[in-house]
Amino acid sequence: MESVQAIKQRFGIIGNDPSLNRAIEKAIQVAPTDISVLVTGESGVGKESIPKIIHQLSHRKHGKYIAVNCGAIPEGTIDSELFGHEKGAFTGATQTRSGYFEVADGGTIFLDEVGELPLTTQVRLLRVLENGEFIKVGSSKVQKTNVRIVAATNVNMFEAIKKEKFREDLYYRLSTVEIHLPALRERKDDIHLLFRKFASDFALKYKMPTIKLSDDAVNLLLKYRWSGNIRQLRNVAEQISVLEQNRIISASTLQSYLPNSGSNLPAVINNSKSESDFSNEREILYKVLFDMKSDLNDLKKLTMELMKSGNASEVQKQNEGLIQKIYGDDNSVTEDDVEELEVLSIPEKSSEIQHSSTPEDTQDKYHFAEEIEEEETLSLHDKELELIKKSLERHNGKRKLAAQELGISERTLYRKIKQFDL
Ligand SMILES: Nc1ncnc2c1ncn2[C@@H]1O[C@H](COP(=O)(O)OP(=O)(O)O)[C@@H](O)[C@H]1O
Ligand SMILES: [Mg+2]
């Protein structure tokens, strides 16, 4: 059996803290079996090395190793990614596709951020863990696979189970052996060691002398909270290595690279993600798109009114609400702004604009724009619907809270609920 030291060297793991050594030792011990392992620990503590060690030291090392970030795959496609799909299972499924569980047969799958898996996928995962069986999306044929699972999470799984976001039976099945990686602030002796290692790596990389911390800077380094753990420490070492002319780093220089370093007091950390945050980047993007689309529609309406009436201040008076909605409270629209709008939207009245684009051009541009809109509208509608549904679910149907979260008025939300027949 390889020693902990040899493994650390082989996988580039720095540190001598007993809890880190214990975690590696556990990984070495469990590797030759097929036992499922759950790696826990905050973000940036180095969880990703553990499944690699386990795979490499197992009889599966010549099989495939697939790492899947469960939090990064949209809910709608995750089942198909993991288990594959049949041709025609959904729009766009033009061919039968194998999922990771089929591809990794005989190997290891690392399910990172497993706490983010949707409940329906958790059911499928439990089945494959229990008897190696799975079914492709859109199929009825049961398939077999032989895959070893290592999962990781940075969320409190008990909390997730209590909130019914994670199945208790799956948790116990996944965590037959649990390997916990300590936060960096709990490994005080390793902090400076890691910093020195990163500083020396970046000095080589950027061909500059190695930075060195003064004594008071070392003290600050040890006192700091490092909520981003080793990932954050590495980033800070890189930034300082690149940016600082003076290679002796004082505490005040270091401090300027540490966000909130004033609050070294034990902070209350909010482990659970806020219920209402749009944790999924896609959701945020869709929300931005809806907002833009809604603004665009409002602007179209305003432009049309202006073109029809030709009287800017009248239009402004009549559309006060709309203008307020588009430009917000802070940037109240002045007469000038509206006049500017008028000039831009009515080419006939502006010789400058008329010269810059011929009527054919204009037509072409609109034609193009319409084509895009047609394609996007459908999926946007679906996504908007999904977003509203989710928000309502999150707030137990309370429209006021959902509207606040979605950044729309209660009335607009009500209109959408009617429109989508929710
Ligand atoms: N003990 C360590 N020694 C050296 N680098 C480490 C160590 N632990 C983590 N890292 C580095 O820190 C970064 C974050 O590690 P990662 O495994 O992605 O964290 P996690 O998955 O827990 O968020 C990576 O760049 C990794 O190489
Ligand atoms: Mg990670």
Side-chain angles (χ1 to χ4, degrees):
M1 197 178 274
E2 277 187 74
S3 72
V4 172
Q5 284 312 323
I7 290 294
K8 280 199 262 190
Q9 210 158 23
R10 187 164 148 201
F11 290 85
I13 299 170
I14 311 292
N16 283 314
D17 190 272
S19 58
L20 174 71
N21 290 344
R22 236 186 346 266
I24 296 171
E25 209 171 85
K26 240 175 159 177
I28 297 173
Q29 282 170 338
V30 79
T33 71
D34 273 342
I35 294 175
S36 310
V37 176
L38 182 68
V39 188
T40 57
E42 290 179 14
S43 178
V45 289
K47 295 189 289 297
E48 279 164 48
S49 315
I50 301 290
K52 287 183 191 151
I53 296 174
I54 293 177
H55 178 72
Q56 283 304 325
L57 300 190
S58 76
H59 62 90
R60 296 171 178 269
K61 69 175 174 192
H62 298 300
K64 283 221 156 54
Y65 172 82
I66 299 182
V68 186
N69 186 337
C70 304
I73 304 176
E75 202 169 320
T77 53
I78 192 146
D79 283 355
S80 143
E81 293 277 329
L82 293 176
F83 305 102
H85 63 246
E86 281 299 333
K87 183 175 172 177
F90 46 83
T91 331
T94 50
Q95 288 193 347
T96 298
R97 182 183 172 280
S98 302
Y100 300 136
F101 275 89
E102 190 173 340
V103 176
D105 195 3
T108 309
I109 291 188
F110 170 42
L111 295 174
D112 202 0
E113 294 187 36
V114 74
E116 303 284 323
L117 277 184
L119 282 163
T120 49
T121 314
Q122 292 178 28
V123 178
R124 287 174 182 265
L125 181 59
L126 187 63
R127 181 166 181 187
V128 84
L129 273 163
E130 272 175 348
N131 48 26
E133 287 178 359
F134 70 96
I135 301 176
K136 279 197 173 90
V137 176
S139 166
S140 53
K141 202 177 93 202
V142 177
Q143 288 179 253
K144 277 273 197 184
T145 187
N146 174 3
V147 171
R148 204 258 180 89
I149 307 278
V150 181
T153 181
N154 59 12
V155 299
N156 182 335
M157 295 300 269
F158 291 112
E159 194 91 350
I161 292 168
K162 223 168 59 199
K163 286 187 184 155
E164 297 186 354
K165 289 191 170 153
F166 207 85
R167 292 181 65 109
E168 193 171 6
D169 45 7
L170 177 60
Y171 168 75
Y172 287 114
R173 196 68 191 67
L174 281 173
S175 62
T176 314
V177 167
E178 186 167 330
I179 297 183
H180 180 72
L181 285 176
L184 185 58
R185 66 186 157 281
E186 291 158 16
R187 299 165 48 184
K188 291 269 185 246
D189 289 346
D190 287 347
I191 302 180
H192 194 198
L193 182 68
L194 276 157
F195 188 89
R196 286 202 306 265
K197 162 77 171 115
F198 293 140
S200 130
D201 288 352
F202 290 122
L204 263 176
K205 181 172 174 189
Y206 298 113
K207 299 188 174 58
M208 289 163 103
T210 311
I211 49 166
K212 194 174 176 310
L213 298 177
S214 68
D215 291 348
D216 54 346
V218 174
N219 279 336
L220 174 60
L221 195 78
L222 302 187
K223 265 190 3 210
Y224 186 64
R225 182 152 222 294
W226 298 110
S227 34
N229 293 292
I230 302 174
R231 185 177 290 116
Q232 186 189 6
L233 182 75
R234 192 169 181 272
N235 285 349
V236 168
E238 181 164 25
Q239 286 176 43
I240 300 179
S241 298
V242 173
L243 299 174
E244 290 302 319
Q245 295 274 318
N246 185 347
R247 305 309 276 177
I248 306 288
I249 307 302
S250 69
S252 65
T253 305
L254 174 62
Q255 178 122 23
S256 65
Y257 289 87
L258 307 178
N260 307 321
S261 57
S263 59
N264 285 319
L265 301 164
V268 183
I269 7 159
N270 189 0
N271 272 331
S272 58
K273 278 191 189 165
S274 136
E275 291 271 324
S276 62
D277 71 355
F278 289 97
S279 48
N280 185 332
E281 274 171 37
R282 235 161 220 266
E283 274 187 46
I284 299 172
L285 276 175
Y286 282 125
K287 181 165 160 30
V288 171
L289 275 175
F290 299 141
D291 289 351
M292 266 169 62
K293 202 171 144 236
S294 149
D295 276 358
L296 198 66
N297 283 337
D298 291 344
L299 280 167
K300 272 190 203 161
K301 189 168 166 230
L302 204 61
T303 312
M304 192 55 86
E305 300 266 317
L306 274 166
M307 284 202 280
K308 273 199 243 154
S309 122
N311 183 341
S313 48
E314 177 124 327
V315 173
Q316 189 182 358
K317 232 180 270 158
Q318 278 169 4
N319 293 281
E320 235 168 88
L322 202 62
I323 292 171
Q324 172 84 4
K325 190 173 156 232
I326 309 171
Y327 294 94
D329 296 328
D330 308 329
N331 319 306
S332 59
V333 191
T334 63
E335 186 90 17
D336 286 353
D337 289 337
V338 178
E339 251 155 32
E340 211 170 286
L341 257 179
E342 190 176 19
V343 172
L344 285 172
S345 56
I346 311 172
E348 291 82 10
K349 288 195 177 177
S350 155
S351 52
E352 220 183 299
I353 290 179
Q354 227 171 5
H355 285 309
S356 69
S357 69
T358 64
E360 291 96 77
D361 279 357
T362 320
Q363 208 182 352
D364 268 346
K365 272 180 209 152
Y366 283 123
H367 180 65
F368 175 62
E370 249 155 39
E371 256 178 21
I372 293 179
E373 197 177 342
E374 253 173 51
E375 267 180 30
E376 300 281 280
T377 311
L378 252 182
S379 61
L380 271 180
H381 264 259
D382 286 351
K383 290 295 167 192
E384 186 175 21
L385 180 65
E386 197 181 309
L387 204 63
I388 291 173
K389 260 193 191 158
K390 269 194 184 164
S391 181
L392 283 167
E393 264 169 37
R394 267 197 287 266
H395 297 292
N396 299 323
K398 292 203 180 84
R399 284 208 291 268
K400 191 169 177 189
L401 294 174
Q404 264 171 15
E405 181 182 76
L406 293 163
I408 55 178
S409 71
E410 233 185 305
R411 231 182 55 207
T412 310
L413 179 62
Y414 183 69
R415 204 161 37 78
K416 302 244 177 223
I417 292 173
K418 286 261 171 250
Q419 182 192 339
F420 290 128
D421 205 15
L422 282 170

